[in-house]
Amino acid sequence: MSQRNVTKLEKPAVRRTLRRFWEVTRMKPGAAALAVFTSVAYIALLVFVNTWVMGLIVDRVQAAPVAADDVWTVFGPYILALLAVNLIGQACSKLQDYAVYKLQINGNYHLARLCFDTLSNQSMTFHTSRFGGALVSQTSKFMSGYTQMVDVVVYSLIPTIASTACTFIALAPAVPAYAAALAVMLVVYVIVATRMYQRILPLSAETAKAQNRLSGVLSDAVTNILAVKTCGREDFEKDLFNQADLDAMRAESRSMRATMQRGFTTSGIITVIMLVVSIFVAGGNAWFGISSGMLVMMFSYTYQLSMRFNYINSMMQRMNRAIGDASEMARILDEPRLVEDAPGAPDLAVIRGAIDFEHIGFAYADAAQGDRVFSDLNLHIEPGQRVGLVGRSGSGKTTLTKLLLRLSDVQDGHVYVDGQDISACTQQSLRRQIAYVPQEALLFHRSIRENISYGRPDATEAEIRRAAQLANALEFINRLPAGLDTLVGERGVKLSGGQRQRVAIARAILADAPILVLDEATSALDSESEALVQDALENLMQGRTSIVVAHRLSTVAALDRIVVLADGEIVEDGTHAELAAAGGEYAALWSRQTGAFLDSE
């Protein structure tokens, strides 16, 4: 890809990022206006008015000697003016800092909420294709980018613009030829700097992406450290990290070289500007009759302005970094939600618990063309019916439960609960009506109490303990030093697999939802615990519409109905006795398991 194409591709990222930054900045119009006003006033007073008063003093000294007794009389007003200017200027400096803090605190607060709301409401398809650690890193960089941008704009960009305006306001009437020459040189500087900035911008974005990849690799290895160690793959993960680290270093180096090249070029232009002002100052009085005070102002103003422009290199570099760091999250914020509530969608009201899948067609976003999980699937589940979903790996069992939960949306057909199209109802109300226990327990790094009561935070101590007891979890919980207040670690790592699963089952029991979905809910339990939990689940399923995904067929043998899936189609449907006697797919699976063979899934 050519450099020109890369630059064009990055322009939307710049606009997208700046738009997000502006949206939070305008939430505090008073602080934004104060930041602009104080930045201009600070420069105008402490740099230009100060120098102007000193120029008047120089002209007065040159005009005629001042006796010692007359110093305070003659120069007293100038001294008082300088004192007032500096007092007001310093006050503006502190107000400028206050405005910056207000903007940054407010901006980071709203940007953090925006990122969290966006990420938490994105579909599972979105999350399964990204590193969780990279998303956290991108959120942090997005907020940091705003902080950097406010600093650059208030402390560098606005003062540079104010310095330019004040310089020409002061010099153009007195020395128009010099002002015109200075204007030409500054225009050349801006053109050159801008074009080089456009070349640097995509390099900064590449650097940010490389850093995000590095964070993702690190997060992936740390999250799965047990697998790394038990497989003896430390060296392999180290090589992966080293390669990502090397890519990040190379991206940084490319950005650094381009920035240094720009710095050398712009510094050369600044040198020419200082050469011109030196010539004007040296010959200004002889050629144009310019007073000594005005010559002092010419040099001081031009030198101060040239230093401001010289810092543009650093300013642009910081802006590049801020935009580059924030651009990836800004793009994510603009991504459409794959699963989204319709405007004004009502809450789902479940009274009976009937479930209907009608003419379902579904394919994953990253699937090959024509590779569909379901093409025209129809399934009706009566209220209160306990249904097992079985089949070989990849037959669509878990996908069907995800469509019921709207973790993904169907492309064709409809899913109904009590005759209500779930796509027309709010997602949260739908999921509050479904108690879901996945194959891998989903626990937070919080206390066992908080994990069990996650679906019902207002549950009483007695209700939490009863749910834990029914899930066969209370016994091991009571053995822990902190009991229900024990922190379980990230993803429940401090608990065994069976303990994690029992906590998750206790959460589902406490939720007391009218619909129950169990996706291999007992797979991590030993035989004794499974038997006890199976009894609890039998009680829990009474009067509730239940869908049980299972590979271990003994889990579903006693259910009201068993649905056998193969290649996204329902190939058998009936009770255990009926299907075992039919000699079809289910009978073959049952024969393998009762013959002591393990299902490969």
Side-chain angles (χ1 to χ4, degrees), residues 21-91:
F21 287 172
W22 171 243
E23 286 173 355
V24 295
T25 300
R26 68 181 183 180
M27 293 179 180
K28 288 289 183 181
L34 181 63
V36 174
F37 173 78
T38 53
S39 297
V40 173
Y42 173 78
I43 290 296
L45 291 171
L46 295 186
V47 176
F48 289 90
V49 176
N50 255 345
T51 304
W52 177 68
V53 174
M54 287 303 300
L56 295 178
I57 293 175
V58 170
D59 283 342
R60 179 62 186 83
V61 170
Q62 188 182 36
V66 178
D69 295 340
D70 295 331
V71 168
W72 290 109
T73 302
V74 174
F75 294 109
Y78 297 111
I79 294 172
L80 291 176
L82 288 173
L83 176 61
V85 166
N86 280 274
L87 285 174
I88 298 173
Q90 291 301 327

Side-chain angles (χ1 to χ4, degrees), residues 2 21 46-47 88 125 192 272 275 284 296 299 372 450 456 464 486 489 493 495 524 553 555 575 577:
S2 69
F21 287 172
L46 295 186
V47 176
I88 298 173
T125 301
V192 172
V272 173
L275 174 63
V296 170
F299 183 83
R372 296 170 66 82
E450 290 173 292
R456 272 188 60 199
I464 293 172
T486 301
V493 69
L495 303 179
L553 299 185
T555 305
T575 65

Side-chain angles (χ1 to χ4, degrees), residues 196-353:
M196 299 191 77
Y197 164 77
Q198 291 175 341
R199 290 201 293 268
I200 295 173
L201 181 60
L203 297 178
S204 297
E206 289 175 8
T207 299
K209 290 179 182 178
Q211 290 290 351
N212 288 333
R213 285 195 296 271
L214 180 64
S215 299
V217 170
L218 177 61
S219 173
D220 201 32
V222 172
T223 301
N224 297 286
I225 191 63
L226 181 61
V228 174
K229 289 186 173 297
T230 54
C231 293
R233 297 282 279 175
E234 290 91 342
D235 289 343
F236 174 78
E237 294 299 329
K238 179 181 177 181
D239 290 341
L240 280 182
F241 181 83
N242 287 345
Q243 183 59 52
D245 199 19
L246 181 62
D247 291 341
M249 184 188 70
R250 287 171 176 168
E252 288 270 13
S253 297
R254 287 192 295 270
S255 181
M256 179 270 294
R257 286 193 293 271
T259 301
M260 292 300 297
Q261 181 184 0
R262 180 185 182 280
F264 283 124
T265 303
T266 54
S267 294
I269 299 174
I270 292 296
T271 303
V272 173
I273 292 175
M274 292 309 300
L275 174 63
V276 172
V277 73
S278 299
I279 294 172
F280 264 88
V281 169
N285 182 263
W287 297 335
F288 305 107
I290 302 173
S291 69
S292 299
M294 179 55 69
L295 291 175
V296 170
M297 286 189 285
M298 285 175 57
F299 183 83
S300 297
Y301 291 166
T302 306
Y303 178 76
Q304 194 277 337
L305 185 61
S306 67
M307 289 301 98
R308 284 283 173 191
F309 272 76
N310 199 38
Y311 292 145
I312 284 181
N313 188 47
S314 173
M315 180 177 70
M316 290 295 187
Q317 183 178 6
R318 292 170 62 196
M319 291 179 70
N320 281 339
R321 174 57 62 87
I323 293 174
D325 284 351
S327 60
E328 185 65 19
M329 179 52 68
R331 184 188 64 77
I332 288 174
L333 292 174
D334 285 341
E335 282 193 23
R337 295 180 185 176
L338 298 180
V339 179
E340 190 168 19
D341 290 339
D347 287 347
L348 179 72
V350 179
I351 298 176
R352 300 173 64 244

